[in-house]
Amino acid sequence: MSVINLKSSPALLVAVSLVTSSLAPLAIAPPSQAQSSFSDVQGSWAQPCISELSQRGIISGYPDGTFRPNNPVTRAEYAAMVGKAFPNAARVRAAARFVDVPSTFWAYSAISFASQTGFLSGYPGGVFNPSQNIPRAQVLVSLTSGLNYTPTQPVATVLGIYADASAIPGYAQTGIAAATERRMVVNYPDVRYLNPNQLASRADVSAFLCQALASTGQVASVIPAQYIAGGGAVAEQKAQIVAGTSIPVSYTAAQGIVIRPDETVDLTVTVAADVRDSSGAVAIPAGSQVVGQLVPVQGGSQFVARSVVINGRSYAINASSSVIQTTKNLRDPSLTKILGGAALSTGVAAIIGGTSGDRLHNAGNLILAGTVGAAVGANQGRNFGSAIRDAAIGAALGAGAAAVTGDRTITPKKVITGAAAGAAVGGAIDRGTVGEVVVINPSADLNLTLNSSVTIP
């Protein structure tokens, strides 16, 4: 997005137009069900605000009883919402005529009112673009423009509380500074990150409207304080997570992980649900990455986490899973089925290959070739019928195992065909190359417990 010079009033109109031109659609047709309780926001951080606006008739839900808080909002829908939030706003200019908003359009009156009151403007050529979606930064600039708010402190000083202040577009800096001073900026789940260029969701717009109404004294603020930006206290806020806190994780790259009991393997997993600190605020949002290793413990394996990556920043943590002691012998017929959807370590790949020098590896499009090589190496000198038997069994299982990258690093790519896995395991057994392997179920075995308290600054 290009930076807009706000020194002239025409430029300001264009900037405000951009602000309101990109709201993500709430729906192609506007929601029509006014109610105070929605099935999909119960317990949500935004529930009190959404209920307040719904009771006031500012926002509405859908016929199925949902609010769909993560849906985007269109310019037309935003015009309808802001007009209901501020019905007594002064008309500061004449109504504009937009070529793409006919008088029969459902939001014609709302768009006209929003234009007259300074909340919204059009594009050059008399275009309004009612179906465009709006980023968070542009919503905030729209509200401060319509409410005629300006910052009282240096803009750079005010915006310094945001960890991503450098991402704020030039045209939006003054407006966002004003919104910050008025405590209109709501950042969930991490108050330090504005995410100015991210499309605003229905929950985002609702929160901004609640805080804008609170800034005019029409309502009390009902947004949890830890998500409201503004003031030095925000910049100093730190999340304290106590020892014993559970960290649920997911690993979707493979259905299982198979390693040798004596191996150490690098592994990265994803946080499956928000992890809250001692005050109840979200400290580690869902979707963050946990980096660690599977290490040998008591004849089994344990996932030990070393760091968590939140919004691109890495923080040291000390957390671990329970000890995983589910093992199988290569002679176990059920192992072939497990391998069909598993990620393999280099050690297991070497066993299956039959020789230490013939391991599965990640070499771009050579991964499949490495897999076939393992099956061929394991089957050298075998009865042809036995090899065909095991390949057929593997193929019938119809799954793929994951290859392994470099030394001890599991890759999420699944390239070993069921046939190759079946033939390779069968070859290893027939040649006498057998051993115990640890079988890990990612959905149950990798969840973590924090071993020591941690502060996320």
Side-chain angles (χ1 to χ4, degrees), residues 379-406:
N379 282 283
Q380 288 179 353
R382 293 184 69 208
N383 177 279
F384 182 73
S386 297
I388 294 299
R389 174 204 65 197
D390 293 323
I393 292 173
L397 295 172
V404 181
T405 64

Side-chain angles (χ1 to χ4, degrees), residues 365-438:
N365 60 3
L366 297 178
I367 296 175
L368 181 58
T371 299
V372 174
V376 171
N379 282 283
Q380 288 179 353
R382 293 184 69 208
N383 177 279
F384 182 73
S386 297
I388 294 299
R389 174 204 65 197
D390 293 323
I393 292 173
L397 295 172
V404 181
T405 64
D407 289 334
R408 308 177 184 179
T409 301
I410 293 176
T411 177
K413 303 188 77 171
K414 300 177 184 178
V415 296
I416 304 176
T417 65
V425 172
I429 292 174
D430 283 357
R431 291 167 62 93
T433 307
V434 297
E436 295 289 327
V437 293
V438 179

Side-chain angles (χ1 to χ4, degrees), residues 115-202:
S115 173
Q116 289 178 287
T117 52
F119 284 100
L120 293 168
S121 296
Y123 289 94
V127 175
F128 184 77
N129 288 332
S131 63
Q132 277 192 346
N133 301 331
I134 191 167
R136 287 166 49 87
Q138 294 179 2
V139 175
L140 292 168
V141 174
S142 166
L143 289 171
T144 55
S145 176
L147 295 173
N148 197 31
Y149 289 161
T150 56
T152 61
Q153 303 177 58
V155 170
T157 300
V158 177
L159 298 183
I161 69 169
Y162 300 113
D164 54 355
S166 61
I168 301 174
Y171 79 86
Q173 292 177 3
T174 298
I176 290 177
T180 302
E181 287 187 345
R182 299 278 181 159
R183 297 180 61 80
M184 291 165 53
V185 181
V186 179
N187 298 332
Y188 174 87
D190 191 336
V191 73
R192 300 166 299 174
Y193 289 87
L194 177 65
N195 293 313
N197 302 308
Q198 178 177 298
L199 291 181
S201 66
R202 279 169 61 79

